[in-house]
Amino acid sequence: MKQRLLAWAKRLRQDTLALWFAARHPGTPLAPKLLALFLAAYAFSPIDLIPDFIPVLGYLDEAILLPLGIALCLRMIPPPVLEACRAQAAGWLEARRGKPASRWGAAFIVAVWIAAGVLLWSAVAG
């Protein structure tokens, strides 16, 4: 069971990186390109939308929502493009042994938190 879970996590990591490459690939249609860009930016962001210290909900995005979004996006990408992006991701992981960091993803999460704070403030103060 532990080996299957580790293999799944490794495949998920590689597929997330493949989405990062698919978002920049000219053969990716617009809708999957935008979804791939969002998912990869969020996955590689050092900041979570739902902080991990919140019980149950903190891991909901990483354990359920993100893998489901990645699976959906992978189905939307044309197979030849996905194959090329997966190969590129495998090569990248082999060469660098790390994951890219997304400053844009972090900026997006901060913007969402600020917008939520402003909306909450205006609802309470209004």
Side-chain angles (χ1 to χ4, degrees):
M1 173 91 164
K2 183 180 177 183
Q3 293 297 346
R4 283 183 46 201
L5 188 60
L6 288 174
W8 176 78
K10 182 179 178 181
R11 189 173 57 248
L12 186 64
R13 178 178 172 213
Q14 185 171 346
D15 282 345
T16 305
L17 190 55
L19 289 182
W20 189 58
F21 289 118
R24 290 155 180 76
H25 194 284
T28 304
L30 182 62
K33 186 177 280 208
L34 294 174
L35 183 58
L37 184 64
F38 170 76
L39 289 169
Y42 181 71
F44 297 135
S45 170
I47 303 171
D48 286 340
L49 185 60
I50 305 169
D52 291 341
F53 63 82
I54 297 174
V56 181
L57 293 177
Y59 290 106
L60 180 68
D61 57 342
E62 288 110 354
I64 297 172
L65 298 177
L66 194 58
L68 286 176
I70 290 169
L72 172 69
C73 192
L74 290 173
R75 291 181 184 267
M76 295 170 66
I77 297 171
V81 173
L82 183 57
E83 209 173 291
C85 293
R86 280 183 168 155
Q88 193 175 4
W92 199 93
L93 287 170
E94 189 68 33
R96 300 195 182 162
R97 300 251 187 248
K99 70 176 187 177
S102 175
R103 291 184 199 98
W104 286 107
F108 174 75
I109 300 303
V110 169
V112 168
W113 275 106
I114 290 171
V118 168
L119 286 173
L120 183 63
W121 179 261
S122 66
V124 171

